[in-house]
Amino acid sequence: MGSRASTLLREEEIEEIKKETGFSHSQITRLYSRFTSLDKGENGTLSREDFQRIPELAINPLGDRIINAFFPEGEDQVNFRGFMRTLAHFRPIEDNEKNKDPTASEPLNSRTNKLLFAFRLYDLDRDDKISRDELLQVLRMMVGLNMFVSQVLRMMVGLNMFVSQVLRMMVGVNISDEQLGSIADRTIQEADQNGDNSISFNEFIKVLEKVDVEQKMSIRFLH
Amino acid sequence: MSGLWHGKILMLMVVLTVSRHSLAFQARNANPSNQPGTNASTGNGTENTITTLPIVTWKWHHTEGPYLVALWVLVSWICKLVFQLNPALTNVFPESGLLICIGWVLGGIIYGADKVQTFRLQPFTFFYYLLPPIVLDAGYSMPNKQFMGNLGAILVHAVIGTVWNAASLGLGLWGCWLGGAMGHLNTGLLQLLLFGSLIAAVDPVAVIAVFEEVHVNEVLYIIVFGESLLNDGVTVVLFNVFDAFVSLGGPAINAVEIIKGIISFFVVAFGGSLVGIAFGILISLLTRLTKKTPTIEPGFIFVFGYLSYLTAEFLSLSAILSCTFCGVFCQKYVNTNMSEKSVNTVRTTMKVFANGSETVIFVFLGISAIDPSIWVWNTGFILLTLLFIFVFRFMGVFVLTWILNQYRLVPLGLIEQLVMGYGGLRGAVAYGLVFLLDENKYKEKNLMISTTLLVVYFTVMLQGITMKPLVNWLKVKRATTDEAMLAEKIMNRTFDHMLVAIEDISGQIGHNYLWDKWHNFEEKWLFRILMNPTARKSRDYIFNIFHQLNLKDAMSYVQEGERRGSLAFVRNDSKADVDFNKQFDTDFTDMPDIMGPDHIPVPFVLRDSVPSVSLNMHEQDQKMRESEDFNAHHLLQQHLYKGRKQRHTYSRKQPVVNRDEDEVQEIFQRTMRSRLESFKSAKMGVAQPKKITKHSKKDQTEKMSNGKPADDSKIHSYGDEDFEFSEGDSAGDAAGGSFPMAAYKGGAGIVNPAYMAEMDSNEPMPPMPQIPPWLAEAGEDSSNVAPSQRAQLRLPWTPTNLRRLAPLRLSTHSNDSFLLADSPATQEGTEPQPPLPLQDGRGRGTHM
């Protein structure tokens, strides 16, 4: 399949993607074959359903949010370019990239862009603020408080789990919504500087100042 | 600095005491501190047959051993104490180096007194008493995730790196020996390899001592530290293998023996680790049952840790690895199984033991040097060893890191590699091992001992001292101070999920994938088996941190209050008990209830809760955010008014708690009140506008009909029904402009029109009934309305209840007015509720 994938991808396209995302040639072809294997409709784009077919994503509490991050606003399809652009956020920062000339546009995997990606996961309405509610929603997801029927079904189908297992997982949630609420309050309070009771992107950066985002938001893409 | 001098004098006295004790055998010459005993002894101690009943007898011989041990420990610790009182000294010299210096001084005194070195670090003492606590502590306090995350790098460095160090040093020395650089030495390839293996290992004791002072970044630290810990095990294994080889003699070693040696190496290493993990499981299982014996609960950890060490030792497996993995494995489960008190005890005690033996070891390392009988000087051998150790260590680090960097997510930079290479401190393990050598087999034992000592001194002193300047000069990334912020924790969690998802999407099995799989496995099986059920329930990563932070805040809040000398807040808040208990109990113990009818997740912003959460923060920083407080004050009013109903709903299930009882919880409750306020707000967010509008706009019947569906809808976990309310109250939405979420969410934001309007714009209040809403509500409900389900809920709200509530309101208010003392105008203006004139007055009265 790999050979098929690479033949379908034009050389100049690879070059462009390389330039934009910084992935190596082999990484691009490998990811392209992954892309095509996900693309069940074989129309060169991925839909949300294509992503949701990945079984492990079903149990990822933030799975839906992350899938959403692949889609430009208001669109239901993502092509390979867009796919790669999103993945590029997770490319580790290499040494030679750190001291590139400052005039060049910021690479997708810069610290700021990585943070922006994480920020967007929270900021559903794209008003550049994480409100208490938005934070709470993510917290709920992370402790498994809102599992939707669709998600449960997907887990059962995708992971061959029994209903009882899924139910046990849901009941296993050991934190209440009230507790989450106060956790959200406290989190916002920690980060909030201008008193608007929400976290702006600048505040977000500030809070994560000490966190090694470069490392914590990078994975090693196989060649 | 008087304390310092006291310390020094005391120390000198003890030194004298100890040094003269060794003379005491012959001379019976008692030291000053034992003066009374001496007198007694002259009378009775010498006679074997008793003629008359001795009142006091001199029993020095009975107590000599333990007494000396105790004194030694005391001396070493006092040395440490003295250094810690001298920050100027410890800033330049690493503590370990200073302790060695003290050891020299002590050794000199002893030698001067005895003319022979009577104190020596015995390998048995070292390996069975001094080392286990250090190893156990290192394993137990190991940051698990980082350790596992860098396990590959650690193992490569610990295993391959150590083998490389041993082999290269042995071969290098052998080559030089053959070349004649060392004169006549009675040795051979195998003996030199043995020497190489015993000195190859980076020593955890020395590394911890130096690196903890330097504060390098966590990845670097965990690699150096993990390596030093694991390669001790490797060294001991190598040492045993080569020792056996030496015994076999050169000609007897064939390919089979070498293969056996390699197999034995792996069996010993992995066997030791498995023994450790087995003991870790045992501890975890045992601590599930120790709820009833909290006093010896912490003891189990130590006993099992020590047993894991000894068990591995008698199975001739790697004891160090066993103990390390025992600690690494059990920490998570043990910490959740045990009570918080025991966890703290274990942590503290472990540190005491580990630090204590570390100190003793370094002092002894110094003392051992003052013994002419062990010193054999061979310039070639010693200098070459030093050189090779230094050079080969760097070579090994660079090559291995280069290979690892091909696979590492974040490659280790040159600077980090330099520090890693430079951090190759040798220490007590090498010294302990070299003393184990059999003099008959190893003719050059003393040369090896002196070389080992010199290597230890060189690395610990010179490299230790220069480490800090080097780290500064190279600008090595330092450790982040602490990750105490909740936001960071949450984000770290998010990052984890994200990485796993991206790995899934990009279709590769990476480190995160494996970690996630392990996590799921752990969640499914290990937690179930190894944790007791209640602990498992309360175990939530984020919530735990939240809990810790809250406790910290609560404590500082009380302290702050006491410092200000104001007991007012104590009194006032104690009246809030009732409300509190409910909230507290339910939230912490009674989960299902919350998920029941009272459970209303609120999908829109509640700005109000934040200021109430941050009350103490404000107090402490003295940061007055005017507008925030303004809102806080106002909204607290709102909340407490709502609070009654909340309380009420609870009180159906649980009897109202007498506010005089449960004094124990009072402090916690008092300080947690503000936090719980936010829990409440989470629930009240939906209900709030509903009620107000009912009172202000709608007649009673309408309210009731509206109320019923609302109650039913509470069972849903999601608040879709907000829209119902918001449609009904759409007038209020416009006023929600200042609430960011409300603004863009449009209909979703349910805002109470009454208070919103005047809060945001200071406009005069819309016409409202001049009765306190709750009074109105309660009165009408109890009298006029047919006992619908809702009304029944409300029935107990008799005026008496209300009266009890008033102080509650007051207390919040007064807490706030505490902060708002300088802005009374705003405060006045913000009072939205009719009863406020009275309340306001009383509230201030309590404070002014």
Side-chain angles (χ1 to χ4, degrees):
Chain A
M1 192 197 258
S3 57
R4 186 184 72 109
S6 53
T7 47
L8 285 176
L9 203 59
R10 279 178 295 116
E11 205 52 44
E12 52 267 37
E13 221 174 329
I14 294 182
E15 276 310 309
E16 276 173 42
I17 292 172
K18 216 160 134 185
K19 220 164 140 192
E20 186 183 20
T21 62
F23 280 115
S24 74
H25 193 289
S26 59
Q27 281 171 329
I28 294 172
T29 46
R30 201 198 71 77
L31 287 169
Y32 189 68
S33 75
R34 174 69 181 170
F35 182 84
T36 45
S37 75
L38 288 177
D39 180 18
K40 294 284 187 248
E42 302 202 337
N43 50 3
T45 56
L46 294 183
S47 62
R48 282 189 165 75
E49 288 70 39
D50 287 329
F51 281 105
Q52 282 162 355
R53 244 174 251 127
I54 304 171
E56 288 87 359
L57 267 185
I59 41 165
N60 194 317
L62 299 180
D64 283 334
R65 291 290 178 101
I66 290 158
I67 292 174
N68 272 342
F70 277 86
F71 295 92
E73 233 176 326
E75 285 178 41
D76 288 336
Q77 301 285 319
V78 58
N79 61 12
F80 186 57
R81 284 288 284 274
F83 181 73
M84 293 301 279
R85 212 176 292 131
T86 311
L87 289 184
H89 286 97
F90 292 91
R91 220 163 48 80
I93 301 174
E94 279 152 29
D95 276 339
N96 51 5
E97 283 175 294
K98 273 180 191 159
N99 31 21
K100 252 196 335 198
D101 63 319
T103 52
S105 67
E106 211 172 355
L108 286 168
N109 62 344
S110 71
R111 184 188 169 93
T112 321
N113 276 331
K114 280 176 193 291
L115 282 173
L116 192 61
F117 186 91
F119 187 80
R120 288 274 154 78
L121 281 194
Y122 286 85
D123 184 25
L124 260 197
D125 52 28
R126 307 237 166 178
D127 66 341
D128 289 328
K129 269 179 191 150
I130 300 174
S131 63
R132 180 186 189 273
D133 177 49
E134 285 168 330
L135 181 61
L136 199 55
Q137 281 184 22
V138 176
L139 284 178
R140 283 205 196 103
M141 289 179 179
M142 288 206 283
V143 300
L145 262 186
N146 38 345
M147 252 212 252
F148 302 109
V149 179
S150 63
Q151 221 174 339
V152 173
L153 285 176
R154 244 160 57 208
M155 278 166 70
M156 284 163 57
V157 175
L159 298 171
N160 294 322
M161 290 172 87
F162 296 112
V163 187
S164 61
Q165 278 175 307
V166 178
L167 284 180
R168 205 182 301 137
M169 275 181 76
M170 293 172 71
V171 175
V173 173
N174 45 32
I175 187 163
S176 72
D177 211 40
E178 282 74 12
Q179 288 169 327
L180 279 187
S182 58
I183 288 175
D185 285 336
R186 177 152 192 146
T187 311
I188 290 192
Q189 173 213 327
E190 275 177 358
D192 193 12
Q193 288 174 332
N194 56 9
D196 65 350
N197 207 9
S198 57
I199 306 175
S200 70
F201 186 53
N202 281 336
E203 286 162 351
F204 188 75
I205 291 179
K206 192 99 178 134
V207 169
L208 298 179
E209 214 171 21
K210 284 187 253 151
V211 177
D212 192 0
V213 178
E214 289 89 341
Q215 189 185 348
K216 288 189 171 144
M217 267 193 71
S218 300
I219 65 171
R220 225 176 54 80
F221 286 96
L222 298 178
H223 290 282
Chain B
M1 279 287 106
S2 68
L4 176 73
W5 285 114
H6 280 297
K8 277 189 176 157
I9 291 164
L10 186 58
M11 191 186 80
L12 273 176
M13 272 175 59
V14 177
V15 167
L16 281 175
T17 316
V18 173
S19 62
R20 296 181 76 176
H21 270 310
S22 46
L23 293 175
F25 305 85
Q26 302 104 18
R28 285 281 160 137
N29 189 5
N31 51 72
S33 62
N34 282 342
Q35 210 66 51
T38 320
N39 294 339
S41 77
T42 48
N44 303 314
T46 48
E47 284 151 54
N48 288 330
T49 50
I50 299 172
T51 51
T52 173
L53 182 75
I55 296 170
V56 187
T57 48
W58 171 248
K59 288 185 179 172
W60 170 243
H61 277 296
H62 287 280
T63 51
E64 187 190 354
Y67 204 92
L68 285 184
V69 170
L71 279 180
W72 267 115
V73 173
L74 178 67
V75 173
S76 336
W77 289 4
I78 285 175
C79 299
K80 188 170 175 123
L81 177 76
V82 172
F83 297 140
Q84 290 309 324
L85 290 172
N86 269 317
L89 207 61
T90 42
N91 275 345
V92 184
F93 300 100
E95 204 182 76
S96 43
L98 287 172
L99 288 171
I100 289 180
C101 293
I102 285 289
W104 289 342
V105 175
L106 291 179
I109 295 172
I110 294 167
Y111 187 76
D114 289 6
K115 303 294 176 222
V116 62
Q117 188 51 270
T118 40
F119 292 98
R120 200 174 267 177
L121 187 54
Q122 297 301 324
F124 184 83
T125 317
F126 174 73
F127 283 109
Y128 287 90
Y129 300 123
L130 293 175
L131 193 57
I134 297 175
V135 177
L136 184 63
D137 173 62
Y140 191 75
S141 54
M142 179 85 74
N144 254 342
K145 184 166 183 192
Q146 278 161 37
F147 180 69
M148 290 302 173
N150 294 297
L151 193 62
I154 292 171
L155 280 179
V156 165
H157 278 288
V159 178
I160 303 177
T162 309
V163 172
W164 154 257
N165 279 348
S168 60
L169 179 65
L171 291 174
L173 286 177
W174 185 59
C176 296
W177 177 66
L178 287 183
M182 307 168 190
H184 295 288
L185 284 183
N186 186 1
T187 182
L189 174 62
L190 284 176
Q191 297 202 5
L192 289 174
L193 279 174
L194 177 78
F195 177 68
S197 69
L198 72 85
I199 213 165
V202 174
D203 184 62
V205 186
V207 165
I208 297 170
V210 169
F211 273 70
E212 270 192 350
E213 290 173 38
V214 179
H215 298 299
V216 293
N217 65 65
E218 44 193 26
V219 174
L220 185 54
Y221 178 77
I222 201 76
I223 288 181
V224 176
F225 174 50
E227 180 205 345
S228 69
L229 201 58
L230 296 191
N231 73 8
D232 272 349
V234 175
T235 314
V236 177
V237 177
L238 276 183
F239 177 85
N240 288 333
V241 169
F242 280 115
D243 195 31
F245 279 168
V246 173
S247 305
L248 280 176
I253 297 170
N254 50 28
V256 178
E257 295 299 327
I258 291 174
I259 289 172
K260 269 187 180 168
I262 294 171
I263 292 174
S264 133
F265 176 86
F266 284 105
V267 169
V268 169
F270 283 102
S273 314
L274 284 180
V275 168
I277 289 174
F279 270 89
I281 292 174
L282 274 180
I283 304 184
S284 312
L285 286 174
L286 194 77
T287 45
R288 281 184 66 161
L289 312 169
T290 51
K291 265 262 142 20
K292 294 276 161 61
T293 51
T295 38
I296 50 169
E297 193 173 58
F300 285 122
I301 315 299
F302 296 98
V303 173
F304 269 102
Y306 196 43
L307 275 181
S308 77
Y309 188 90
L310 294 179
T311 309
E313 186 72 39
F314 85 65
L315 293 174
S316 80
L317 301 173
S318 170
I320 296 175
L321 288 179
S322 166
C323 204
T324 309
F325 277 99
C326 178
V328 168
F329 187 81
C330 76
Q331 50 165 290
K332 191 190 255 172
Y333 313 109
V334 164
N335 280 348
T336 42
N337 279 349
M338 293 194 304
S339 67
E340 204 159 323
K341 226 178 192 173
S342 303
V343 171
N344 284 337
T345 313
V346 169
R347 208 166 279 156
T348 324
T349 318
M350 220 165 243
K351 287 277 172 248
V352 170
F353 279 134
N355 252 307
S357 40
E358 191 185 300
T359 312
V360 172
I361 287 170
F362 279 119
V363 172
F364 266 113
L365 273 180
I367 291 175
S368 309
I370 315 296
D371 184 3
S373 68
I374 61 160
W375 284 108
V376 178
W377 186 264
N378 182 319
T379 317
F381 188 78
I382 290 172
L383 288 186
L384 280 171
T385 306
L386 280 176
L387 180 76
F388 285 157
I389 281 179
F390 199 70
V391 172
F392 288 135
R393 164 87 186 163
F394 272 103
M395 281 170 62
V397 166
F398 284 140
V399 171
L400 290 178
T401 316
W402 182 82
I403 295 170
L404 283 172
N405 273 349
Q406 308 301 309
Y407 300 97
R408 274 184 74 82
L409 171 63
V410 178
L412 291 164
L414 183 66
I415 289 172
E416 272 129 349
Q417 294 177 36
L418 277 176
V419 174
M420 278 167 68
Y422 204 71
L425 310 175
R426 292 350 190 238
V429 171
Y431 176 80
L433 285 176
V434 81
F435 260 97
L436 279 179
L437 292 178
D438 182 0
E439 237 162 311
N440 300 321
K441 270 194 279 178
Y442 306 93
K443 304 294 178 212
E444 303 296 343
K445 183 187 175 188
N446 278 344
L447 176 62
M448 289 184 183
I449 291 178
S450 33
T451 312
T452 306
L453 275 178
L454 279 176
V455 168
V456 171
Y457 296 155
F458 179 82
T459 54
V460 170
M461 306 283 274
L462 273 179
Q463 295 187 15
I465 290 171
T466 45
M467 179 62 85
K468 217 182 233 177
L470 183 81
V471 166
N472 285 336
W473 179 64
L474 289 174
K475 297 196 180 61
V476 177
K477 220 164 25 165
R478 293 306 185 92
T480 51
T481 43
D482 58 333
E483 198 190 289
M485 280 169 88
L486 202 56
E488 288 176 32
K489 293 281 185 190
I490 291 173
M491 283 318 292
N492 281 342
R493 255 300 152 88
T494 319
F495 292 151
D496 289 347
H497 289 311
M498 250 192 279
L499 294 188
V500 178
I502 294 295
E503 274 189 358
D504 291 338
I505 288 172
S506 63
Q508 54 187 38
I509 295 179
H511 170 243
N512 293 297
Y513 176 85
L514 293 176
W515 180 258
D516 199 51
K517 276 272 174 278
W518 161 252
H519 210 76
N520 288 342
F521 170 75
E522 199 179 31
E523 198 97 335
K524 223 166 159 181
W525 298 108
L526 293 183
F527 285 157
R528 196 170 296 278
I529 298 168
L530 300 178
M531 280 187 187
N532 72 37
T534 45
R536 199 166 62 228
K537 226 169 193 174
S538 67
R539 189 201 66 89
D540 187 279
Y541 174 79
I542 293 170
F543 181 70
N544 273 347
I545 296 148
F546 177 68
H547 180 63
Q548 298 296 333
L549 287 173
N550 275 345
L551 279 183
K552 219 163 69 188
D553 277 5
M555 258 143 83
S556 55
Y557 178 58
V558 173
Q559 273 166 6
E560 181 66 10
E562 283 168 354
R563 196 180 62 72
R564 289 167 172 239
S566 157
L567 288 175
F569 79 105
V570 176
R571 295 226 179 81
N572 283 333
D573 283 82
S574 64
K575 285 169 187 161
D577 262 11
V578 186
D579 195 33
F580 232 137
N581 264 335
K582 303 269 131 152
Q583 286 279 7
F584 185 79
D585 287 345
T586 328
D587 284 334
F588 287 80
T589 61
D590 209 1
M591 252 275 304
D593 265 6
I594 284 198
M595 303 310 285
D598 307 322
H599 175 61
I600 312 166
V602 193
F604 67 87
V605 189
L606 292 160
R607 348 187 22 188
D608 30 335
S609 48
V610 170
S612 68
V613 168
S614 60
L615 268 185
N616 46 14
M617 297 289 196
H618 281 258
E619 235 175 9
Q620 277 167 18
D621 313 347
Q622 294 296 322
K623 263 191 218 160
M624 295 293 190
R625 296 196 214 161
E626 291 281 332
S627 61
E628 280 284 291
D629 286 353
F630 183 96
N631 289 344
H633 180 76
H634 183 85
L635 291 159
L636 275 175
Q637 296 281 355
Q638 278 289 330
H639 270 287
L640 287 164
Y641 143 54
K642 300 293 172 191
R644 288 173 312 115
K645 191 199 148 202
Q646 202 59 52
R647 215 176 78 174
H648 177 53
T649 356
Y650 282 124
S651 69
R652 275 190 82 208
K653 291 178 192 125
Q654 301 170 327
V656 174
V657 182
N658 182 353
R659 84 180 91 115
D660 291 328
E661 80 177 38
D662 224 352
E663 285 280 324
V664 192
Q665 284 199 338
E666 196 190 305
I667 290 178
F668 184 69
Q669 289 164 355
R670 188 195 316 141
T671 49
M672 283 292 281
R673 188 193 45 70
S674 59
R675 303 235 177 289
L676 291 169
E677 207 52 60
S678 66
F679 291 161
K680 212 188 306 171
S681 72
K683 293 180 202 158
M684 295 321 299
V686 172
Q688 198 173 56
K690 182 173 68 196
K691 275 201 215 158
I692 289 200
T693 41
K694 271 177 241 151
H695 283 292
S696 56
K697 288 183 185 166
K698 296 169 186 175
D699 66 27
Q700 205 55 41
T701 23
E702 213 181 319
K703 178 185 91 186
M704 291 322 295
S705 62
N706 207 7
K708 267 187 181 173
D711 269 358
D712 293 340
S713 68
K714 283 176 187 175
I715 305 158
H716 295 270
S717 64
Y718 241 68
D720 288 356
E721 56 281 355
D722 311 339
F723 288 94
E724 275 176 41
F725 304 142
S726 65
E727 271 150 27
D729 303 342
S730 56
D733 287 336
S738 80
F739 295 164
M741 277 306 285
Y744 51 72
K745 282 224 162 176
I750 300 109
V751 183
N752 169 12
Y755 82 76
M756 283 309 304
E758 36 111 88
M759 192 181 72
D760 290 321
S761 52
N762 269 341
E763 276 167 17
M765 283 169 55
M768 274 186 75
Q770 287 303 302
I771 324 157
W774 61 85
L775 277 179
E777 194 176 328
E780 281 164 13
D781 282 350
S782 53
S783 54
N784 306 340
V785 185
S788 69
Q789 198 199 345
R790 218 172 119 85
Q792 274 172 345
L793 284 183
R794 212 163 282 138
L795 260 168
W797 287 106
T798 58
T800 8
N801 283 343
L802 289 176
R803 207 153 293 150
R804 201 177 53 215
L805 252 194
L808 172 66
R809 283 193 45 141
L810 269 186
S811 67
T812 342
H813 179 202
S814 35
N815 256 340
D816 247 11
S817 68
F818 225 58
L819 312 168
L820 288 173
D822 57 336
S823 56
T826 10
Q827 197 181 327
E828 292 281 337
T830 57
E831 298 299 355
Q833 303 302 335
L836 282 179
L838 170 72
Q839 294 247 329
D840 212 15
R842 281 172 64 193
R844 282 210 212 121
T846 52
H847 275 283
M848 295 181 183

